[in-house]
Amino acid sequence: MLKEKLLDFSGHLTDLLPLEKTEISNLFEKPKNKDHGHTSLPVFRFSKTLKKAPPVLAKEVAEQIINKKIDGVKEVQAVGGFINITWTNGYILENFKEFINEEKLGYNDSGKGRKLIIDYSSPNVAKPMHVGHLRATIIGQAIRNLAQTQGFEVIGLNHLGDWGVQFGKLAWAYKKWGSEYDFKNDSFNSLYSLYVRFHKEVEEHPEYEKEGAAAFKRLEEGDEELHKIWKEFIDISMAQYQKTWDRLGVKHDLVKGESFYADPRKLDHVVDLLEKKELLEESEGAWVVHLDEKRPPCLIKKSDGASLYATRDIASALYRMQDLECDVNLYVVGSEQKLHFSQLFSVLEKMDYPWAKDCHHVAFGMYRFKNVGKMSSRKGQVIRLDDVLDKATEMVLERINSKNPDLKNKDDVAEIVGVGAVVFNDLLNDRVKDVEFDWEKVTDFEGDSGPYVQYSAVRCKSLLRKAKEKLKKDSFDFAVTLSEKAEIDLMNLMMDYPNILSNSYKTFKPNYLASFLLEVSRAFSSFYNKCPILSIEDKALMESRLALVSATLKVLEEGLKVLNITSPEEM
Ligand code: ARG
């Protein structure tokens, strides 16, 4: 039921329970058993104050609610310490219409007037994005979209890994061996090959290490030639990443790579601030900030004066929170960087920034592939993000060829469904856990998969196309009240959408939304199986059912959009 309606309803209960109506309305939960009514009010917390056992209290209050004859209430039942409420069909439809006709479905303005910055994808120049970046990209974009539904002003940030001694090495390698590669036609692979080559050659020629470090020093000091080469590396890499982001529909608003903070003025500023707070200590020639016994100190400046990943992240946090005036700062990065972020946030706390508590590491687990062999994962190397997308698309195309061989634009559909399958599968998993990646399951059209949700949307679309033709109408209204259980259940479930969005955002867990979309798909399937639509005589009922189909499509498409997934017209 809608939040405002529960609030109204709670207003009727303030003389029965010792709480304000807003607080009462926050207590309602979904009954564990669907046959136990539409919403449930646990009374355990009142037991002590009112000096009654929960089941006794639930029974008494339930009776009092019945006596009040409140509008919309059909049944009230006490089960254990719960009061279960069933609404009338008319009341559900009335609420549902209000819900579905909202302009921005499920949005609220809890974040209004606040700025949220979210760092996601953030690959490392010269290296292909791997499955870790797949997660950072997909989860990050979904949380970014979720934040928008909560009314935040959102800045999507690409904290590109474009600085560090490796770029000195790479530029040196480029000057030495660059001409052996086809930078003109195959620039990104050439760049990566060069990277791999340097690390291989160094094993036999350790002196190359020094050459690389010296080149980095010169790059830091502003050497023009090296700077030009380095800039070229960034352009080549960004062009490559852009292709992947386009496939995934991922967008950043701002690119501020690590090099942006490597500027000596910014770094000196960080060092100055730490010194003023007397946090900087010397340790084996380097400068560090000591934390607690449980964690190693945070390394700020190496003995040769060079900055580190952490130093650049401190500068970046200052930039985000002070220069850009953000209120919330999210880092969507794998769990393997847990220590780094805990150190970073502790240093910010020690620097007395009150906003340190508004910085969050949105961590995630790793992928474990079942049947890696099915993918041409160049043995022993990292699994590339694009290879995962290609493989999924290929598998979906096979399925289409066997199920629906006459489909038009098969390749385009396979791309939408294949990419959607990977994205959905990722988001369906609780992000903190590792993901068991099973190709068959991920691309299954009928299982708990993205294709299944997309398929449900496609079914709605096809039904509506046929209906428009048959009834010579473009849109459908709820002409009569719907009363089949499958219809009521579907409407009641969908009205939970705003709650799902806000819970997903608050926990930074898009899996609540993904699971919800599966539930809606299943509820739609029950409705579709039990309630005939285009074959019935009763035109008013037919229209109402079509209105429900079109509402379901809206919820599915809006929800998928938040997860950054689209659905094809047919599949
Ligand atoms: N480039 C890093 C990596 O690929 C991720 C950067 C995350 N963001 C940050 N502010 N440290 O591992």
Side-chain angles (χ1 to χ4, degrees), residues 1-2 92 95-96 99 491-498:
M1 193 52 52
L2 302 180
I92 291 205
N95 280 279
F96 185 74
F99 155 71
M491 285 192 277
N492 201 42
L493 172 66
M494 289 199 283
M495 275 192 275
D496 221 14
Y497 182 59

Side-chain angles (χ1 to χ4, degrees), residues 392-393 395-397 399-400 403 413-426 428 438-459 514 517-518 521 556 560 565-568 570-571:
T393 303
M395 283 187 70
V396 168
L397 191 59
R399 274 180 209 258
I400 294 176
K403 285 186 139 201
V413 174
E415 172 77 9
I416 294 178
V417 178
V419 170
V422 171
V423 174
F424 191 87
N425 174 68
D426 190 297
L428 183 60
D438 179 342
W439 286 107
E440 299 296 332
K441 259 172 98 182
V442 171
T443 55
D444 186 358
F445 280 29
E446 273 121 48
D448 286 352
S449 67
Y452 176 57
V453 178
Q454 289 172 315
Y455 183 60
S456 307
V458 164
R459 264 163 127 186
L517 294 178
L518 278 178
S521 301
L556 289 177
L560 284 174
I565 298 174
T566 49
S567 62
E570 289 177 86
M571 67 188 264

